[in-house]
Amino acid sequence: MAASPSTARAINDRLALRLLQQEGPLTAGQLKTMTGLSRPTVADLVDRLQESGLVTVVGETDVRRRGPRARLYGIVADRAHLAALDVRTDSVAVVVADLLGVTLAEAVLPIGSDTATEPAVEQAAALLEGTARQAGSVPLHSVGIGAPGLVDATGVLRETTGLPEWHRRFVAVLQERLPAALLVENETNLAALAEQRLGAARGQDTFVLLWIGHGIGAAVVLDGRLRRGASGGAGEIGFLPVPGTGGLPSATACDGGFHSLAGSAAVCELAEGYGLVPAPGAPQEPPSAALVRAAVGDGRPGAGEFLDALADRLAIGAAGVAAVLDPGRIVLAGEVGHAGGEALAARVEDRLAAMSPLRTEVRPGALGGAAVLRGALLTARDAAQDELFAPGI
Protein backbone atom coordinates (compact mmCIF):
# COMPACT_ATOMS: atom_id res chain seq x y z
CA MET A 1 0.00 0.00 0.00
CA ALA A 2 1.18 3.52 -0.79
CA ALA A 3 1.88 5.75 2.18
CA SER A 4 -0.64 8.49 2.93
CA PRO A 5 0.51 12.05 2.21
CA SER A 6 0.97 12.78 5.91
CA THR A 7 2.99 9.58 6.46
CA ALA A 8 5.14 10.30 3.39
CA ARG A 9 5.85 13.80 4.70
CA ALA A 10 6.84 12.42 8.10
CA ILE A 11 9.15 9.84 6.50
CA ASN A 12 10.79 12.51 4.34
CA ASP A 13 11.23 14.83 7.31
CA ARG A 14 12.84 12.08 9.35
CA LEU A 15 15.20 11.20 6.50
CA ALA A 16 16.27 14.83 6.13
CA LEU A 17 16.85 15.19 9.86
CA ARG A 18 18.98 12.06 9.95
CA LEU A 19 21.10 13.40 7.10
CA LEU A 20 21.52 16.75 8.85
CA GLN A 21 22.51 14.94 12.05
CA GLN A 22 25.03 12.70 10.30
CA GLU A 23 26.47 15.05 7.68
CA GLY A 24 26.21 18.43 9.37
CA PRO A 25 24.68 21.59 7.85
CA LEU A 26 23.40 21.08 4.31
CA THR A 27 21.82 23.22 1.62
CA ALA A 28 18.42 22.47 0.15
CA GLY A 29 20.21 21.39 -3.02
CA GLN A 30 22.35 18.92 -1.11
CA LEU A 31 19.28 17.53 0.64
CA LYS A 32 17.63 17.12 -2.77
CA THR A 33 20.62 15.15 -4.07
CA MET A 34 20.98 12.96 -0.97
CA THR A 35 17.28 12.17 -0.56
CA GLY A 36 16.31 11.92 -4.22
CA LEU A 37 13.28 14.09 -3.52
CA SER A 38 12.04 16.82 -5.83
CA ARG A 39 13.00 20.44 -5.25
CA PRO A 40 9.43 21.48 -4.21
CA THR A 41 9.24 18.55 -1.77
CA VAL A 42 12.55 19.53 -0.18
CA ALA A 43 11.45 23.16 0.05
CA ASP A 44 8.25 22.11 1.81
CA LEU A 45 10.03 19.85 4.31
CA VAL A 46 12.60 22.54 5.13
CA ASP A 47 9.77 24.97 5.86
CA ARG A 48 8.02 22.40 8.06
CA LEU A 49 11.17 21.58 10.01
CA GLN A 50 11.90 25.26 10.59
CA GLU A 51 8.36 25.85 11.83
CA SER A 52 8.68 22.88 14.20
CA GLY A 53 11.86 24.36 15.71
CA LEU A 54 14.05 21.42 14.69
CA VAL A 55 16.01 23.12 11.89
CA THR A 56 17.34 26.63 11.40
CA VAL A 57 19.59 28.54 9.01
CA VAL A 58 23.15 28.32 10.34
CA GLY A 59 25.04 30.05 7.53
CA GLU A 60 25.57 30.23 3.80
CA THR A 61 27.72 28.42 1.28
CA ASP A 62 31.28 29.57 0.64
CA VAL A 63 31.37 33.13 -0.71
CA ARG A 64 34.24 32.17 -3.04
CA ARG A 65 31.90 30.02 -5.13
CA ARG A 66 30.36 31.55 -8.26
CA GLY A 67 26.66 32.33 -8.28
CA PRO A 68 24.30 33.14 -5.44
CA ARG A 69 25.07 31.75 -2.02
CA ALA A 70 22.74 29.05 -0.72
CA ARG A 71 21.48 28.84 2.82
CA LEU A 72 22.89 26.13 5.06
CA TYR A 73 20.37 24.37 7.29
CA GLY A 74 21.31 22.66 10.52
CA ILE A 75 19.62 20.94 13.43
CA VAL A 76 18.76 23.15 16.41
CA ALA A 77 21.08 21.37 18.82
CA ASP A 78 19.62 23.09 21.89
CA ARG A 79 16.14 21.78 21.15
CA ALA A 80 16.92 19.13 23.76
CA HIS A 81 19.65 18.31 26.26
CA LEU A 82 20.72 14.76 27.00
CA ALA A 83 22.57 13.22 29.90
CA ALA A 84 24.68 10.09 30.30
CA LEU A 85 25.72 8.49 33.58
CA ASP A 86 28.30 5.82 34.29
CA VAL A 87 27.37 4.44 37.71
CA ARG A 88 30.22 2.46 39.26
CA THR A 89 30.42 0.85 42.69
CA ASP A 90 32.54 3.75 43.97
CA SER A 91 31.74 6.70 41.70
CA VAL A 92 29.35 8.38 39.30
CA ALA A 93 30.38 10.13 36.08
CA VAL A 94 27.99 12.47 34.26
CA VAL A 95 28.02 14.06 30.82
CA VAL A 96 25.38 16.49 29.55
CA ALA A 97 25.26 17.10 25.80
CA ASP A 98 23.07 18.73 23.17
CA LEU A 99 20.97 16.96 20.58
CA LEU A 100 24.00 16.47 18.33
CA GLY A 101 26.02 14.88 21.10
CA VAL A 102 28.32 17.85 21.76
CA THR A 103 29.43 17.84 25.40
CA LEU A 104 28.18 20.87 27.35
CA ALA A 105 29.21 19.91 30.89
CA GLU A 106 30.67 16.91 32.69
CA ALA A 107 31.61 15.86 36.21
CA VAL A 108 32.81 12.89 38.27
CA LEU A 109 32.01 12.19 41.91
CA PRO A 110 33.71 9.52 44.06
CA ILE A 111 31.34 7.78 46.48
CA GLY A 112 33.05 5.93 49.30
CA SER A 113 32.05 2.40 50.24
CA ASP A 114 31.20 3.63 53.75
CA THR A 115 28.62 6.13 52.46
CA ALA A 116 25.09 5.22 53.53
CA THR A 117 22.42 4.61 50.90
CA GLU A 118 20.41 7.82 51.18
CA PRO A 119 23.43 10.20 51.30
CA ALA A 120 24.94 8.36 48.32
CA VAL A 121 21.71 8.69 46.36
CA GLU A 122 21.41 12.39 47.18
CA GLN A 123 25.01 13.08 46.19
CA ALA A 124 24.61 11.28 42.86
CA ALA A 125 21.28 12.97 42.06
CA ALA A 126 22.67 16.38 42.99
CA LEU A 127 25.65 15.76 40.69
CA LEU A 128 23.35 15.16 37.73
CA GLU A 129 21.13 18.13 38.51
CA GLY A 130 24.09 20.44 39.04
CA THR A 131 25.78 19.35 35.82
CA ALA A 132 22.54 19.85 33.91
CA ARG A 133 22.25 23.41 35.29
CA GLN A 134 25.84 24.10 34.29
CA ALA A 135 25.00 23.03 30.73
CA GLY A 136 22.21 25.62 30.45
CA SER A 137 18.53 26.16 31.02
CA VAL A 138 17.25 23.59 28.50
CA PRO A 139 15.56 20.71 30.38
CA LEU A 140 16.85 17.18 30.02
CA HIS A 141 14.93 15.15 27.48
CA SER A 142 16.56 11.71 27.87
CA VAL A 143 19.05 10.23 30.34
CA GLY A 144 21.09 7.12 29.55
CA ILE A 145 22.34 5.23 32.62
CA GLY A 146 25.00 2.53 32.57
CA ALA A 147 25.29 0.39 35.69
CA PRO A 148 26.80 -2.96 36.63
CA GLY A 149 24.49 -5.87 37.30
CA LEU A 150 21.36 -7.25 35.70
CA VAL A 151 18.89 -5.00 33.89
CA ASP A 152 15.63 -6.79 33.05
CA ALA A 153 13.55 -6.45 29.90
CA THR A 154 11.60 -3.51 31.36
CA GLY A 155 14.77 -1.52 32.05
CA VAL A 156 14.72 -2.10 35.81
CA LEU A 157 18.05 -2.59 37.59
CA ARG A 158 17.66 -5.80 39.55
CA GLU A 159 18.99 -6.37 43.04
CA THR A 160 22.39 -8.03 42.71
CA THR A 161 24.62 -9.39 45.45
CA GLY A 162 27.85 -7.47 45.81
CA LEU A 163 26.57 -4.18 44.38
CA PRO A 164 25.68 -1.22 46.59
CA GLU A 165 22.03 -0.70 47.46
CA TRP A 166 22.17 2.95 46.41
CA HIS A 167 22.39 1.95 42.72
CA ARG A 168 18.80 0.74 42.57
CA ARG A 169 17.54 3.50 44.84
CA PHE A 170 19.31 6.10 42.69
CA VAL A 171 17.38 5.11 39.57
CA ALA A 172 14.08 5.22 41.47
CA VAL A 173 14.86 8.69 42.84
CA LEU A 174 15.71 10.01 39.38
CA GLN A 175 12.39 8.71 38.09
CA GLU A 176 10.65 10.69 40.83
CA ARG A 177 12.65 13.91 40.39
CA LEU A 178 13.16 14.19 36.63
CA PRO A 179 10.57 14.58 33.85
CA ALA A 180 13.13 13.12 31.45
CA ALA A 181 12.99 9.62 29.98
CA LEU A 182 15.37 7.29 31.86
CA LEU A 183 17.07 4.50 29.89
CA VAL A 184 18.89 2.01 32.11
CA GLU A 185 21.27 -0.53 30.59
CA ASN A 186 24.05 -2.82 31.74
CA GLU A 187 27.35 -0.95 31.48
CA THR A 188 29.04 -3.58 29.30
CA ASN A 189 26.18 -3.54 26.81
CA LEU A 190 26.56 0.23 26.50
CA ALA A 191 30.29 -0.16 25.94
CA ALA A 192 29.53 -2.59 23.10
CA LEU A 193 27.17 -0.07 21.51
CA ALA A 194 29.85 2.62 21.68
CA GLU A 195 32.58 0.37 20.27
CA GLN A 196 30.25 -0.70 17.46
CA ARG A 197 29.34 2.85 16.50
CA LEU A 198 32.61 4.63 17.23
CA GLY A 199 35.40 2.20 18.05
CA ALA A 200 36.91 -1.24 17.50
CA ALA A 201 33.74 -2.98 16.26
CA ARG A 202 32.63 -0.53 13.58
CA GLY A 203 31.04 -2.40 10.70
CA GLN A 204 30.65 -5.59 12.75
CA ASP A 205 27.17 -7.12 12.98
CA THR A 206 28.41 -10.02 15.11
CA PHE A 207 31.01 -9.70 17.86
CA VAL A 208 31.56 -10.12 21.58
CA LEU A 209 32.98 -7.41 23.80
CA LEU A 210 34.94 -8.52 26.86
CA TRP A 211 35.00 -5.77 29.48
CA ILE A 212 38.17 -5.99 31.58
CA GLY A 213 38.29 -3.44 34.36
CA HIS A 214 37.58 -3.64 38.08
CA GLY A 215 35.45 -6.64 37.17
CA ILE A 216 34.76 -8.81 34.15
CA GLY A 217 31.77 -8.76 31.84
CA ALA A 218 30.78 -9.44 28.26
CA ALA A 219 28.31 -8.06 25.74
CA VAL A 220 26.96 -10.19 22.92
CA VAL A 221 25.99 -8.69 19.55
CA LEU A 222 24.63 -11.21 17.03
CA ASP A 223 23.31 -10.33 13.57
CA GLY A 224 23.31 -6.64 14.46
CA ARG A 225 21.30 -7.03 17.67
CA LEU A 226 22.41 -6.79 21.26
CA ARG A 227 21.42 -10.02 22.99
CA ARG A 228 20.45 -9.70 26.65
CA GLY A 229 19.27 -13.24 27.38
CA ALA A 230 16.08 -14.43 29.08
CA SER A 231 16.68 -12.46 32.29
CA GLY A 232 19.07 -9.74 31.09
CA GLY A 233 22.09 -11.72 32.25
CA ALA A 234 23.73 -12.65 28.95
CA GLY A 235 27.44 -11.90 29.25
CA GLU A 236 27.87 -12.38 33.01
CA ILE A 237 31.13 -14.07 32.17
CA GLY A 238 32.64 -13.42 35.58
CA PHE A 239 30.59 -16.42 36.74
CA LEU A 240 31.95 -18.69 33.99
CA PRO A 241 33.53 -21.79 35.60
CA VAL A 242 37.14 -22.04 34.38
CA PRO A 243 40.22 -24.07 35.30
CA GLY A 244 42.88 -22.50 37.45
CA THR A 245 40.71 -20.88 40.12
CA GLY A 246 40.69 -23.69 42.68
CA GLY A 247 36.93 -23.63 43.06
CA LEU A 248 33.58 -22.90 41.48
CA PRO A 249 31.40 -19.78 41.46
CA SER A 250 28.07 -19.73 43.26
CA ALA A 251 24.71 -18.10 42.70
CA THR A 252 25.74 -15.24 44.99
CA ALA A 253 29.45 -14.75 44.21
CA CYS A 254 31.70 -15.10 41.19
CA ASP A 255 34.73 -16.18 43.27
CA GLY A 256 35.99 -19.28 41.52
CA GLY A 257 34.72 -18.06 38.15
CA PHE A 258 36.53 -16.23 35.36
CA HIS A 259 36.49 -13.12 37.55
CA SER A 260 39.03 -14.83 39.81
CA LEU A 261 41.44 -15.02 36.88
CA ALA A 262 40.87 -11.71 35.14
CA GLY A 263 39.38 -9.23 37.62
CA SER A 264 41.53 -6.30 38.67
CA ALA A 265 42.64 -7.83 41.98
CA ALA A 266 43.66 -11.06 40.24
CA VAL A 267 45.61 -9.18 37.57
CA CYS A 268 47.45 -7.16 40.22
CA GLU A 269 48.33 -10.34 42.10
CA LEU A 270 49.59 -11.89 38.85
CA ALA A 271 51.78 -8.85 38.16
CA GLU A 272 53.36 -9.00 41.60
CA GLY A 273 54.66 -12.46 40.76
CA TYR A 274 56.67 -10.87 37.95
CA GLY A 275 58.04 -8.06 40.09
CA LEU A 276 55.59 -5.43 38.84
CA VAL A 277 53.86 -3.06 41.23
CA PRO A 278 50.96 -0.68 40.51
CA ALA A 279 51.84 2.87 39.52
CA PRO A 280 49.48 5.80 40.00
CA GLY A 281 46.78 5.72 37.33
CA ALA A 282 43.90 7.93 36.29
CA PRO A 283 41.18 8.68 38.86
CA GLN A 284 38.68 5.82 39.23
CA GLU A 285 40.86 3.66 36.96
CA PRO A 286 41.53 0.12 38.23
CA PRO A 287 45.17 -0.36 39.29
CA SER A 288 45.41 -3.30 36.90
CA ALA A 289 45.10 -0.90 33.95
CA ALA A 290 48.15 1.10 35.05
CA LEU A 291 50.08 -2.16 35.47
CA VAL A 292 49.20 -3.40 32.00
CA ARG A 293 49.94 -0.02 30.40
CA ALA A 294 53.36 0.08 32.05
CA ALA A 295 54.11 -3.51 31.01
CA VAL A 296 53.29 -2.77 27.36
CA GLY A 297 55.85 0.04 27.35
CA ASP A 298 58.50 -1.84 29.36
CA GLY A 299 61.12 -3.91 27.59
CA ARG A 300 62.17 -5.91 30.64
CA PRO A 301 61.59 -9.70 30.53
CA GLY A 302 59.24 -9.61 33.52
CA ALA A 303 56.87 -7.26 31.73
CA GLY A 304 56.61 -9.45 28.65
CA GLU A 305 56.16 -12.58 30.74
CA PHE A 306 53.39 -10.89 32.70
CA LEU A 307 51.55 -10.00 29.48
CA ASP A 308 51.99 -13.58 28.26
CA ALA A 309 50.53 -14.94 31.50
CA LEU A 310 47.64 -12.49 31.39
CA ALA A 311 46.91 -13.45 27.79
CA ASP A 312 46.85 -17.11 28.86
CA ARG A 313 44.13 -16.27 31.36
CA LEU A 314 42.07 -14.10 29.05
CA ALA A 315 42.21 -16.72 26.31
CA ILE A 316 40.47 -19.21 28.61
CA GLY A 317 37.39 -16.99 28.84
CA ALA A 318 37.63 -16.00 25.18
CA ALA A 319 37.74 -19.66 24.13
CA GLY A 320 34.52 -20.35 26.01
CA VAL A 321 32.85 -17.46 24.24
CA ALA A 322 34.16 -18.54 20.82
CA ALA A 323 33.07 -22.15 21.28
CA VAL A 324 29.48 -21.20 22.09
CA LEU A 325 28.89 -18.11 19.95
CA ASP A 326 31.48 -18.13 17.12
CA PRO A 327 31.48 -14.29 17.08
CA GLY A 328 34.31 -13.83 14.59
CA ARG A 329 35.65 -10.89 16.58
CA ILE A 330 36.28 -10.33 20.27
CA VAL A 331 36.98 -6.80 21.52
CA LEU A 332 39.09 -6.50 24.68
CA ALA A 333 37.46 -3.42 26.14
CA GLY A 334 37.44 -1.55 29.42
CA GLU A 335 40.43 0.13 30.98
CA VAL A 336 42.64 -2.97 30.90
CA GLY A 337 41.77 -3.98 27.34
CA HIS A 338 42.47 -0.44 26.17
CA ALA A 339 45.74 -0.26 28.12
CA GLY A 340 46.92 -3.59 26.71
CA GLY A 341 46.34 -2.42 23.16
CA GLU A 342 47.54 -4.49 20.24
CA ALA A 343 50.30 -6.09 22.34
CA LEU A 344 47.79 -7.84 24.60
CA ALA A 345 45.15 -8.46 21.91
CA ALA A 346 47.67 -10.16 19.61
CA ARG A 347 48.78 -12.47 22.41
CA VAL A 348 45.20 -13.45 23.18
CA GLU A 349 44.43 -14.04 19.50
CA ASP A 350 47.46 -16.32 19.12
CA ARG A 351 46.43 -18.41 22.11
CA LEU A 352 42.83 -18.53 21.01
CA ALA A 353 43.87 -19.77 17.56
CA ALA A 354 45.68 -22.67 19.23
CA MET A 355 42.67 -23.54 21.41
CA SER A 356 39.77 -23.24 18.95
CA PRO A 357 39.18 -24.23 15.32
CA LEU A 358 36.93 -21.18 14.94
CA ARG A 359 38.81 -18.24 13.47
CA THR A 360 38.36 -15.30 15.86
CA GLU A 361 39.96 -11.88 15.58
CA VAL A 362 40.87 -10.17 18.84
CA ARG A 363 41.03 -6.38 18.85
CA PRO A 364 41.70 -3.89 21.64
CA GLY A 365 38.89 -1.55 22.59
CA ALA A 366 39.36 1.96 21.26
CA LEU A 367 37.40 3.89 23.89
CA GLY A 368 38.73 2.57 27.21
CA GLY A 369 36.75 3.38 30.33
CA ALA A 370 34.90 6.16 28.48
CA ALA A 371 32.97 3.59 26.44
CA VAL A 372 30.15 3.30 29.00
CA LEU A 373 29.46 7.03 29.01
CA ARG A 374 29.69 7.19 25.22
CA GLY A 375 27.23 4.32 24.92
CA ALA A 376 24.85 5.87 27.45
CA LEU A 377 24.92 9.16 25.54
CA LEU A 378 24.26 7.40 22.22
CA THR A 379 21.29 5.64 23.82
CA ALA A 380 19.88 8.92 25.15
CA ARG A 381 20.43 10.65 21.81
CA ASP A 382 18.74 7.84 19.87
CA ALA A 383 15.72 8.02 22.18
CA ALA A 384 15.44 11.79 21.85
CA GLN A 385 15.80 11.73 18.09
CA ASP A 386 13.30 8.91 17.71
CA GLU A 387 10.72 11.18 19.33
CA LEU A 388 11.76 14.60 18.07
CA PHE A 389 12.63 13.52 14.53
CA ALA A 390 9.19 12.06 13.95
CA PRO A 391 6.95 15.11 13.49
CA GLY A 392 3.48 14.15 12.39
CA ILE A 393 3.81 10.43 13.17
Side-chain angles (χ1 to χ4, degrees):
M1 293 179 59
S4 68
S6 61
T7 300
R9 286 193 295 270
I11 292 171
N12 292 339
D13 291 353
R14 191 180 182 93
L15 173 60
L17 285 163
R18 287 292 182 186
L19 287 170
L20 289 168
Q21 186 262 323
Q22 294 167 3
E23 304 296 334
L26 298 170
T27 66
Q30 289 171 322
L31 283 171
K32 174 183 177 297
T33 300
M34 291 179 177
T35 61
L37 299 172
S38 68
R39 190 176 299 277
T41 299
V42 170
D44 288 343
L45 74 82
V46 168
D47 287 342
R48 283 196 303 274
L49 294 177
Q50 288 187 93
E51 291 173 3
S52 70
L54 288 170
V55 166
T56 189
V57 177
V58 297
E60 295 180 330
T61 52
D62 196 330
V63 296
R64 291 172 294 182
R65 295 179 58 185
R66 298 180 61 184
R69 291 178 293 181
R71 292 178 175 180
L72 283 167
Y73 299 95
I75 288 175
V76 179
D78 268 348
R79 174 65 185 270
H81 282 180
L82 319 167
L85 293 95
D86 182 359
V87 182
R88 305 287 179 101
T89 56
D90 58 356
S91 67
V92 177
V94 179
V95 168
V96 176
D98 64 22
L99 190 56
L100 292 176
V102 176
T103 297
L104 303 174
E106 55 189 331
V108 178
L109 176 70
I111 297 181
S113 58
D114 57 346
T115 307
T117 296
E118 291 307 318
V121 168
E122 183 56 37
Q123 290 174 30
L127 180 73
L128 172 58
E129 292 169 341
T131 308
R133 285 193 298 270
Q134 183 183 348
S137 60
V138 179
L140 293 175
H141 181 283
S142 303
V143 180
I145 303 172
L150 300 179
V151 179
D152 68 20
T154 66
V156 174
L157 184 62
R158 293 171 53 186
E159 184 175 359
T160 305
T161 302
L163 295 177
E165 172 61 27
W166 67 263
H167 278 197
R168 296 180 70 245
R169 178 67 185 138
F170 175 48
V171 173
V173 167
L174 290 185
Q175 289 171 332
E176 296 168 0
R177 289 166 62 160
L178 294 178
L182 297 187
L183 307 150
V184 185
E185 181 59 272
N186 173 268
E187 57 181 354
T188 308
N189 288 343
L190 290 177
L193 171 63
E195 291 285 358
Q196 186 182 37
R197 296 267 197 99
L198 308 169
R202 273 181 289 189
Q204 296 293 124
D205 286 337
T206 297
F207 69 98
V208 168
L209 178 139
L210 290 186
W211 181 271
I212 315 167
H214 287 288
I216 293 293
V220 179
V221 177
L222 301 176
D223 301 323
R225 291 182 57 193
L226 179 68
R227 307 292 177 165
R228 296 177 175 83
S231 63
E236 288 295 329
I237 197 172
F239 286 87
L240 181 71
V242 293
T245 63
L248 290 172
S250 71
T252 58
C254 55
D255 297 335
F258 186 47
H259 175 84
S260 296
L261 288 185
S264 184
V267 173
C268 290
E269 183 178 354
L270 178 67
E272 289 177 8
Y274 292 94
L276 305 177
V277 295
Q284 280 73 56
E285 181 184 67
S288 53
L291 278 167
V292 171
R293 186 181 303 108
V296 169
D298 195 330
R300 292 177 297 175
E305 292 171 1
F306 161 63
L307 291 175
D308 287 340
L310 178 58
D312 289 340
R313 292 186 174 193
L314 295 177
I316 292 173
V321 166
V324 174
L325 298 175
D326 186 20
R329 177 174 296 187
I330 291 176
V331 176
L332 301 183
E335 295 90 350
V336 172
H338 183 67
E342 290 290 349
L344 181 60
R347 284 172 163 86
V348 175
E349 183 174 309
D350 287 344
R351 286 152 179 79
L352 190 54
M355 298 168 66
S356 171
L358 305 174
R359 174 63 180 165
T360 307
E361 299 176 338
V362 181
R363 297 288 182 267
L367 304 176
V372 177
L373 269 178
R374 300 287 288 276
L377 187 57
L378 286 169
T379 299
R381 192 175 75 177
D382 287 348
Q385 292 178 349
D386 280 346
E387 179 182 329
L388 297 175
F389 286 10
I393 294 181

